[in-house]
Amino acid sequence: MAANGLPTLGRVKLCDLLPTEGLPSDSYKLAVSTLSQSLAQYSAAIIQFPSADAALLRSGLDSARLYFHQRDSYPSTNDSREWCKTSGYYSDPHSWQESYEYRPGLTFTEAAAASMEFPPSGLPDIFGLLGKASRLVLDAIGFYLNLRSSPFTEILDNVPLRSNEVSSSVLSVCCYARPSFHHHHNLAEDEQLLLYSDHDHQLDKSLISFVKSDKAGLHVRDMHGQWILVDVDLGPQEAVVYPGLALYQATAGYVSPAVYRTDFNSMQGSIEGRFSLAFKLMPKSMTNLSCSEMRAAGHGVDAQFLIPVSVDDFMQRPHSNDELFNRQTLQSFTVPQSQDGSMKQMKKRKKSDSRLKPLPPSKRLRLEAQRVLKERVQEIADKKGIKLRFCNPKDCESNHNTMNSPCAHIKMEIGWPQGVPFVHPHDLPNKAKIGFLETYEPGWSETHYMELSLSEAAQGNQHVT
């Protein structure tokens, strides 16, 4: 391995990402390390499926080729634009792209039968294969970040889906630059040129995305801003995996989303176009993307990630690609310098690494209480129409018991109880903080049992001394 990281895109066997009871095996640690380094450097990695799955992936691409070749009508058969309800055939003439979206739980077979149109074959099996692989990759990233096991389970679909549930994740069978599609829509020359623009960048709003193509053409921007062709020379059992914006949000920016584009220049003159299978592991609707798991693991979380974001709002909110092009401003994994694949303590590439060291239990408890107190204060102020200006913690700590403290007038104005800290829980003992958290976030104590035990032990030691 190169001294400064991976020399090329990392390749990881899916079987090596299968977790087992007890201590992690050397093969698991090496696979997780390689995956994480590749995501940090190239925003993508290559996953090697068992050889038995190669036939399924190949048949999926063959079925896609047959499906689009037999289509002679191009209008979309489904006009739904709700992110979690897309299903069926879609077309986008301006990007030369057609797709058939398979989403378990939505009835599409009846409409297809009525129009004598049959979907590509093998979609349920391919959906299951890539869905399971996406969850293994997601858990591996959680392991690398030192999160608890299966940290994102609460925002993922049930496995299997329950009655009347619709999958949030989706499998797209895609066709790019099909010549007959171009001729049907009579695209102008200037419209064609847009396809080759350097500004045609994309990001997925997924947690994890898998792509398997029959031709190379997927470029991903690496940590240095260079475009890397990531799907060249792929074996029949290999697919590209990369993180999306939802994972970026859920990990407080520690995992950078992949910025990618599709190169159509290499497909000029092709009689078929380019076919691919794209699976997106999505957070389920009616949940929130929060960074509570990151805070619980002791990672520093910037203010922009502190407030949980509704998944529905996140999916409908526009995200500017330009904000992510300067990769120096993005947070990502720090590549461990390891020759034997052993896991190293992950450090954050920030101006100050010290604030990202695991916090003492009492400090983490204080930050949690501070977060809840601040949200509660803001809620009361909003109801009373009061515009708050939160004070500086250091200034407030130095004179929080005096009448002229920076936030004393606000506490008086909103009727904050005497003796209860305002935004910063300065004088609350740990047990009082726990009581406050349990009041406003029932079940907090159970989810932070280990931290509470350590806190009580630390308090006991302080009283002894």
Side-chain angles (χ1 to χ4, degrees):
M1 185 180 295
N4 59 344
L6 298 176
T8 60
L9 208 65
R11 276 180 158 83
V12 177
K13 292 182 179 179
L14 185 64
C15 60
D16 288 338
L17 292 179
L18 288 170
T20 57
E21 294 290 340
L23 295 175
S25 64
D26 289 339
S27 61
Y28 182 78
K29 291 189 291 185
L30 178 59
V32 170
S33 178
T34 303
L35 171 69
S36 303
Q37 291 181 54
S38 188
L39 294 181
Q41 291 179 246
Y42 305 106
S43 293
I46 296 174
I47 299 298
Q48 298 176 325
F49 289 85
S51 56
D53 295 326
L56 178 60
L57 296 174
R58 183 173 59 252
S59 66
L61 291 173
D62 291 341
S63 178
R65 187 177 297 106
L66 179 63
Y67 171 78
F68 288 108
H69 278 179
Q70 59 88 29
R71 281 198 64 91
D72 56 2
S73 59
Y74 298 95
S76 298
T77 58
N78 191 324
D79 293 329
S80 174
R81 288 297 178 265
E82 293 186 57
W83 71 272
C84 57
K85 293 185 179 180
T86 56
S87 176
Y89 175 80
Y90 292 87
S91 63
D92 184 356
H94 295 289
S95 63
W96 273 12
Q97 179 177 348
E98 303 166 85
S99 65
Y100 186 93
E101 299 198 352
Y102 170 70
R103 189 182 299 274
L106 279 186
T107 304
F108 60 93
T109 53
E110 293 180 3
S115 62
M116 298 302 293
E117 175 185 279
F118 296 94
S121 62
L123 298 187
D125 292 333
I126 298 173
F127 184 96
L129 173 68
L130 298 181
K132 181 178 180 180
S134 298
R135 290 174 182 252
L136 289 176
V137 169
L138 194 61
D139 286 347
I141 293 174
F143 178 84
Y144 193 75
L145 290 170
N146 201 32
L147 307 182
R148 65 183 177 88
S149 300
S150 304
F152 304 102
T153 299
E154 293 181 358
I155 62 174
L156 295 176
D157 289 328
N158 287 317
V159 178
L161 291 172
R162 303 305 186 253
S163 177
N164 298 322
E165 286 185 342
V166 175
S167 173
S168 298
S169 301
V170 63
L171 172 64
S172 299
V173 182
C174 305
C175 178
Y176 301 87
R178 180 158 60 120
S180 59
F181 183 70
H182 157 62
H183 294 312
H184 177 87
H185 288 278
N186 296 318
L187 295 181
E189 186 69 20
D190 57 345
E191 290 179 307
Q192 296 179 44
L193 293 176
L194 290 176
L195 298 175
Y196 312 110
S197 170
D198 287 337
H199 301 289
D200 188 21
H201 308 138
Q202 295 177 289
L203 298 112
D204 285 351
K205 292 187 177 181
S206 61
L207 292 163
I208 295 293
S209 293
F210 264 92
V211 175
K212 174 64 176 176
S213 305
D214 68 336
K215 295 182 181 69
L218 179 63
H219 293 254
V220 175
R221 194 163 183 168
D222 69 7
M223 64 185 295
H224 302 297
Q226 302 297 316
W227 290 103
I228 306 297
L229 183 61
V230 296
D231 58 351
V232 64
D233 296 330
L234 287 186
Q237 79 280 13
E238 294 180 329
V240 176
V241 64
Y242 56 85
L245 276 170
L247 187 58
Y248 173 79
Q249 179 70 32
T251 59
Y254 278 67
V255 182
S256 298
V259 181
Y260 66 92
R261 68 184 183 187
T262 303
D263 179 19
F264 293 95
N265 290 291
S266 60
M267 285 174 253
Q268 286 184 314
S270 172
I271 62 174
E272 291 185 333
R274 177 176 178 268
F275 302 92
S276 67
L277 305 171
F279 178 86
K280 297 179 182 179
L281 182 68
M282 307 292 289
K284 62 184 178 181
S285 180
M286 306 301 292
T287 56
N288 294 322
L289 296 173
S290 74
C291 301
S292 57
E293 295 292 341
M294 298 295 290
R295 291 197 303 269
H299 295 292
V301 176
D302 289 343
Q304 69 187 87
F305 298 105
L306 287 176
I307 301 177
V309 178
S310 164
V311 169
D312 286 330
D313 291 343
F314 181 82
M315 294 302 167
Q316 296 170 19
R317 178 196 309 166
H319 294 84
S320 173
N321 295 355
D322 294 335
E323 297 175 2
L324 300 172
F325 285 166
N326 183 4
R327 300 307 293 267
Q328 297 302 320
T329 65
L330 282 179
Q331 306 172 17
S332 60
F333 298 108
T334 293
V335 179
Q337 306 301 321
S338 172
Q339 298 290 335
D340 58 1
S342 61
M343 298 298 293
K344 299 291 185 180
Q345 177 66 32
M346 194 194 77
K347 297 180 181 179
K348 194 74 165 52
R349 188 171 56 201
K350 283 280 194 176
K351 293 180 180 179
S352 174
D353 289 339
S354 60
R355 79 174 187 87
L356 297 177
K357 295 179 180 178
L359 299 173
S362 58
K363 177 66 174 179
R364 290 166 56 186
L365 184 57
R366 171 177 171 168
L367 290 177
E368 277 288 285
Q370 175 179 324
R371 175 184 61 81
V372 176
L373 279 167
K374 187 169 183 177
E375 292 174 358
R376 180 59 177 155
V377 171
Q378 186 66 62
E379 179 184 342
I380 296 174
D382 289 343
K383 289 180 179 179
K384 295 194 174 187
I386 301 173
K387 185 176 181 180
L388 294 182
R389 181 181 179 276
F390 295 113
C391 58
N392 182 284
K394 291 184 179 180
D395 294 339
C396 197
E397 283 179 348
S398 62
N399 57 5
H400 68 272
N401 285 323
T402 64
M403 292 301 295
N404 62 345
S405 64
C407 52
H409 66 287
I410 298 180
K411 294 169 69 173
M412 184 180 302
E413 189 174 359
I414 68 173
W416 194 252
Q418 184 69 25
V420 177
F422 185 42
V423 179
H424 327 286
H426 311 297
D427 53 358
L428 274 182
N430 283 343
K431 288 187 177 180
K433 294 174 189 173
I434 294 170
F436 189 92
L437 287 165
E438 191 65 33
T439 299
Y440 289 102
E441 292 189 0
W444 190 93
S445 300
E446 295 181 3
T447 59
H448 297 75
Y449 173 76
M450 182 61 69
E451 182 178 339
L452 298 181
S453 300
L454 293 173
S455 298
E456 291 176 358
Q459 275 194 318
N461 293 336
Q462 291 175 359
H463 289 313
V464 171
T465 57

